[in-house]
Amino acid sequence: MTAFEPLAETSSARNGRGPGQDRSLVVGVDIGGTKTAILVCDRDGRQVARHIAPTALGAPDRAADAIASLVLAALAQAGGSRGDVRVVGVGVPGRVDPARGEVSLAVNLGWQALPLGPQLTARLGRPVVLENDVRAAVLGLHRRRVFGDLPSLGLLAIGTGISAGGVVAGELHRGAHGRAGEIGHAVLDRTGPRCACGLRGCLEAIAAGPAILARALDAWTAAGTGPAAGGSEPPGAEAVFEAAAAGDPVAGDIIDTAGRAIAWGVHVLALAYDLEHIVIGGGVSHAGEPFMAPIRRELDRYRAESPLAAEILRPDLVQLLPPGADAGVWGAVTIAREALGLGSGSLGRPAEPPAVAPQGREVGQA
Ligand SMILES: [Zn+2]
């Protein structure tokens, strides 16, 4: 049991508990734009309970209450209580200061300078560690060896925004100021659409879900066609992929442009970090093959034009994250375990066969 000493044991934790009753649970919380997922794991990293709820956190000052309630519900489902919990790991989409437990900027959640870690610790009475969600996810994928036992691994998340996380030489790379991976704001077209960050033509302003949808809606509105014409519900980016699959040339062009931009991002990451694999995930990637095809075509063009690109962009470099991989919440469990100094254990080894595809073929394809 000495290997399982918690970060900062509170006095309440072991009150009235003999060693045999010490369940040593680790909780992971993945706060997404639409849903919050919670995993309760045992000391070996095996799943004990899984709880998913819509992300309806309300105002920032109510967020910690809502998250703490979800954690307690998940613990009840696991037949445990807060006293069994060694540490809670939380993945948040936004800029996170893990040392202070503060979310400095989470645009899509409307959070700014929110001390979520200390707030959750106050409500749960247990240590809480925070990390950016993409970083937590890539650490989880690495530690779980989802793509093999690798010295390095990158994750490029294409969703409401675009960002990357990387494990380099076995360690999570945060950068000098905790901003490593903000590749979504790298400019690839100075005349492109204005990005929320102020610049024009950022990768995110061209290839993130809202950018893909906005360009399609503009085109469809101008032409009086497309899913927007007459539908009452505003569609998501998936509507653009569906329209392209149905032969809409405008949608096809937009997806092709996004794919070429993402390929550019992959190339930049590969050149900068020489990673074993770059995994592509995020909500937009759930479109699967229609999403991947233009990326792959552009990478093939790079390879055909340049021996250097052909060497850097190895056939198995890019992998599509399987939608069922639960990378976010397993990442949250992983940062919690790392905070305790625990190894990977049996950490959520996927129930499915290993996600690494045969040479040159992305996983998750039909
Ligand atoms: Zn930007």
Side-chain angles (χ1 to χ4, degrees), residues 319-332:
Q319 304 278 337
L320 179 64
L321 183 68
D326 259 352
V329 75
W330 279 112

Side-chain angles (χ1 to χ4, degrees), residues 187-290:
V187 174
L188 74 156
D189 178 5
R190 287 290 277 157
T191 63
R194 184 76 69 186
C195 179
C197 77
L199 291 168
R200 278 192 178 278
C202 293
L203 174 57
E204 183 170 306
I206 294 169
I212 291 172
L213 179 62
R215 298 178 82 187
L217 289 178
D218 282 352
W220 288 333
T221 303
T225 60
S232 55
E233 284 284 305
E238 65 278 3
V240 187
F241 287 94
E242 285 162 15
D248 182 328
V250 171
D253 279 351
I254 291 166
I255 284 167
D256 199 54
T257 300
R260 279 186 275 121
I262 294 164
W264 172 86
V266 166
H267 192 211
V268 169
L269 285 175
L271 287 165
Y273 291 102
D274 188 15
L275 300 157
E276 289 290 340
H277 289 304
I278 295 172
V279 181
I280 302 186
V284 177
S285 77
H286 295 169
E289 183 54 24

Side-chain angles (χ1 to χ4, degrees), residues 42-222:
D42 67 11
R43 71 179 61 220
D44 294 320
R46 288 180 298 241
Q47 177 177 323
V48 179
R50 188 169 186 273
H51 189 72
I52 295 192
T55 299
L57 302 174
D61 58 338
R62 304 288 302 160
D65 287 333
I67 296 164
S69 299
L70 294 175
V71 169
L72 293 175
L75 284 169
Q77 205 175 310
S81 68
R82 69 183 85 189
D84 299 317
V85 176
R86 287 289 157 265
V87 66
V88 180
V90 184
V92 183
R95 196 171 299 155
V96 171
D97 179 346
R100 296 165 63 192
E102 185 175 290
V103 183
S104 61
L105 189 63
V107 176
N108 296 318
L109 296 171
W111 297 354
Q112 199 156 7
L114 183 69
L116 186 63
Q119 287 180 351
L120 284 174
T121 296
R123 283 158 181 78
L124 295 168
R126 310 305 304 139
V128 174
V129 289
L130 238 61
E131 185 53 273
N132 165 269
D133 59 344
V134 177
R135 263 184 224 157
V138 75
L139 187 70
L141 291 170
H142 180 265
R143 296 297 192 260
R144 291 160 60 205
R145 303 181 189 89
V146 171
F147 294 89
D149 193 2
L150 306 169
S152 67
L153 184 70
L155 172 62
L156 180 60
I158 318 289
T160 309
I162 294 181
S163 70
V167 171
V168 179
E171 299 293 329
L172 190 60
H173 180 66
R174 291 194 173 90
H177 309 94
R179 292 181 193 141
E182 292 285 359
I183 193 172
H185 299 290
V187 174
L188 74 156
D189 178 5
R190 287 290 277 157
T191 63
R194 184 76 69 186
C195 179
C197 77
L199 291 168
R200 278 192 178 278
C202 293
L203 174 57
E204 183 170 306
I206 294 169
I212 291 172
L213 179 62
R215 298 178 82 187
L217 289 178
D218 282 352
W220 288 333
T221 303

